[in-house]
């Protein structure tokens, strides 16, 4: 609305609002569901969504689209909170983090924020932090009893100093693979031990083993791990220079041996953190298309809506259809029934 002064009396007046480009009824749960699905389901940034609508004769300002996303995030925040409660109450949860650039007032460049993901089975929760410091992570993981399946970063330990960790073997497999450029024979030898362990796990999964049956099958990895440990000690204490990638990987595995081998005695724990790392594939696509979040608040909405949509997808639910049929309140009730079933 444009404010102006009446030249006859000098009084401020307000221009009449221009006609709405579409009926007000469009901005109901069905349109919010479509908008959320387009952005966080199909990874389409808001400017392209605006162009798509305009091509169909529906002209909606970017500010309006942003406000609608904000409203959607507000409505599903309770669902996201329920997801985090479920994760915290479980036996374990996978955890990982990556970057998300954010526009900040007064900053000439985008701020390097940090997006975290927490997963177990179908449930996925994203959380945004302004920095990679462990302060907010400590608050988030305070009192946690679940085992954290994650990389052995110092930040993760600082964020949950009293937590039990099960570290990621896939991280070590990748480290050996990268080390093949410097030490092809030795690195492949180290990787062969882990590939043997993964082979046992794939066979167990193919048989559908769980619980005690899976634990019994994983116990067959102990002789492999014993030989692997002997090999690691020889490499770590051998003649290779300290900067050699194979030696650094060997020292890493020995340093975090308990966390990396915890899966052998606990059939509920995965061998790696791939489930969490895979969740960043969709985030990466959205980040590539959008470049950054428009504000700190926008980054938090990004995290909330991406997590809710991803959880729905993993449950084989169509977010748009669920919201269209039941509205957001019905969606909350339906998902609560799923979790408590």
């Amino acid at each position: 609305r444009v404010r102006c002064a009446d030249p006859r009396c000098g009084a401020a007046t307000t221009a009449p609002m221009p006609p709405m480009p579409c009926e007000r009824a469009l901005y109901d749960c069905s349109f919010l569901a479509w908008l959320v699905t387009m952005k966080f389901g199909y990874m389409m940034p808001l400017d392209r969504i605006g162009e798509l609508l305009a091509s169909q004769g529906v002209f909606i300002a970017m500010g309006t689209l942003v406000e609608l996303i904000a409203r959607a995030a507000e409505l599903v925040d309770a669902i996201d909170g329920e997801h985090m409660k479920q994760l915290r109450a479980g036996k374990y949860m996978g955890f990982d983090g990556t970057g998300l650039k954010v526009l900040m007032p007064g900053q000439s460049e985008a701020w390097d924020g940090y997006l975290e993901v927490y997963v177990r089975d179908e449930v996925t929760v994203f959380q945004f932090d302004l920095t990679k410091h462990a302060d907010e992570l400590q608050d988030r993981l305070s009192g946690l009893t679940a085992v954290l399946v994650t990389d052995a970063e110092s930040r993760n330990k600082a964020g949950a100093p009293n937590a039990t960790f099960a570290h990621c073997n896939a991280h070590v497999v990748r480290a050996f693979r990268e080390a093949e450029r410097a030490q092809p024979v030795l690195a492949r030898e180290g990787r062969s031990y882990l590939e043997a362990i993964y082979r046992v796990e794939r066979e167990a999964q193919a048989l559908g083993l769980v619980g005690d049956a899976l634990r019994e099958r994983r116990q067959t990895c102990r002789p492999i791990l014993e030989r692997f440990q002997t090999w690691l000690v020889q490499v770590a204490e051998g003649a290779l220079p300290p900067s050699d990638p194979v030696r650094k990987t060997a020292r890493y595995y020995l340093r975090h041996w308990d966390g990396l081998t915890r899966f052998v005695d606990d059939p509920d724990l995965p061998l790696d953190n791939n489930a969490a790392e895979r969740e960043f594939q969709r985030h990466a696509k959205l980040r590539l298309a959008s470049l950054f979040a428009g504000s700190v608040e926008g980054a938090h909405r990004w995290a909330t809506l991406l997590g809710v949509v991803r959880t729905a997808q993993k449950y084989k639910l169509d977010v748009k259809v669920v919201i269209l049929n039941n509205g957001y309140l019905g969606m909350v009730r339906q998902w609560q029934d799923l979790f408590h079933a």
Side-chain angles (χ1 to χ4, degrees):
R1 299 178 181 179
V2 179
R3 296 186 63 85
C4 60
D6 189 326
R8 293 170 296 181
C9 66
T13 61
T14 301
M17 179 181 291
M20 293 291 289
C22 49
E23 295 180 2
R24 289 180 181 271
L26 180 64
Y27 300 144
D28 59 6
C29 282
S30 64
F31 185 72
L32 288 179
W34 178 85
L35 185 61
V36 169
T37 302
M38 293 300 291
K39 181 170 174 62
F40 297 99
Y42 295 104
M43 310 292 114
M44 184 180 290
L46 287 183
D47 60 333
R48 295 182 190 172
I49 294 175
E51 291 176 3
L52 173 63
L53 291 169
S55 71
Q56 301 175 13
V58 179
F59 300 95
I60 302 180
M62 177 61 69
T64 300
L65 293 176
V66 171
E67 288 299 321
L68 291 173
I69 287 292
R71 178 60 176 155
E74 179 184 353
L75 289 167
V76 301
D77 188 61
I79 299 174
D80 194 54
E82 175 67 17
H83 290 171
M84 195 62 183
K85 290 179 183 178
Q86 294 291 329
L87 287 173
R88 288 180 60 89
K91 175 71 176 290
Y92 78 92
M93 64 178 176
F95 164 56
D96 202 1
T98 191
L100 173 58
K101 290 186 178 296
V102 181
L103 294 185
M104 300 277 287
Q107 296 285 335
S108 59
E109 297 181 357
W111 183 272
D112 291 323
Y114 197 68
L115 192 73
E116 299 160 352
V117 65
Y118 303 84
V119 301
R120 186 181 63 252
D121 301 326
E122 292 84 0
V123 183
T124 299
V125 172
F126 287 92
Q127 297 284 334
F128 174 76
D129 291 334
L130 265 178
T131 70
K132 199 177 177 181
H133 297 157
D135 298 346
E136 293 188 41
L137 185 62
Q138 288 178 344
D139 295 336
R140 192 168 298 136
L141 300 181
S142 176
L144 182 73
T145 58
V147 177
L148 271 177
V149 182
T150 183
D151 294 339
E153 290 188 18
S154 57
R155 174 183 184 270
N156 299 338
K157 182 64 177 177
N162 300 318
T164 301
F165 286 88
H167 296 307
C168 178
N169 280 277
H171 177 79
V172 184
V173 172
R174 291 192 292 269
F176 276 129
R177 187 175 290 117
E178 293 175 1
E180 288 181 14
R181 290 177 292 184
Q183 295 280 0
V185 176
L186 198 59
R188 278 197 293 269
E189 185 178 354
R191 186 157 58 92
S192 68
Y193 291 102
L194 292 173
E195 288 176 344
I197 293 171
Y198 272 94
R199 191 157 47 245
V200 171
E201 185 69 10
R202 286 194 299 271
E203 293 170 354
Q205 291 177 354
L207 294 171
L209 302 182
V210 295
D212 292 339
L214 179 56
R215 180 187 292 107
E216 183 177 353
R217 178 57 66 96
R218 285 182 173 182
Q219 291 295 316
T220 63
C221 294
R222 286 205 173 277
I224 303 173
L225 286 170
E226 289 173 1
R227 295 194 299 272
F228 186 35
Q229 188 175 37
T230 300
W231 182 88
L232 291 169
V233 171
Q234 291 175 348
V235 171
E237 298 179 355
L240 292 173
S243 60
D244 184 88
V246 177
R247 184 180 182 185
K248 290 171 68 175
T249 304
R251 289 170 62 86
Y252 172 91
Y253 207 103
L254 289 171
R255 190 164 60 250
H256 302 290
W257 178 267
D258 291 342
L260 286 163
T261 61
R262 199 177 299 279
F263 70 92
V264 177
D265 297 315
D266 194 334
D268 294 328
L269 298 178
L271 274 67
D272 53 46
N273 195 31
N274 283 350
E277 294 180 357
R278 280 194 294 268
E279 292 306 308
F280 283 131
Q281 294 177 3
R282 301 187 68 81
H283 162 67
K285 293 177 181 178
L286 182 58
R287 183 175 57 186
L288 179 63
S290 302
L291 298 182
F292 46 74
S295 65
V296 174
E297 295 79 6
H300 286 294
R301 295 167 196 151
W302 181 314
T304 298
L305 290 168
L306 187 62
V308 170
V309 168
R310 187 63 189 131
T311 301
Q313 291 171 332
K314 290 164 72 177
Y315 266 112
K316 309 296 184 185
L317 298 174
D318 186 327
V319 180
K320 186 172 183 295
V321 171
V322 168
I323 301 175
L324 278 172
N325 289 343
N326 304 299
Y328 282 96
L329 184 58
M331 187 180 182
V332 172
R333 285 197 297 267
Q334 181 175 341
W335 285 20
Q336 286 176 338
D337 291 342
L338 274 173
F339 280 124
H340 294 303

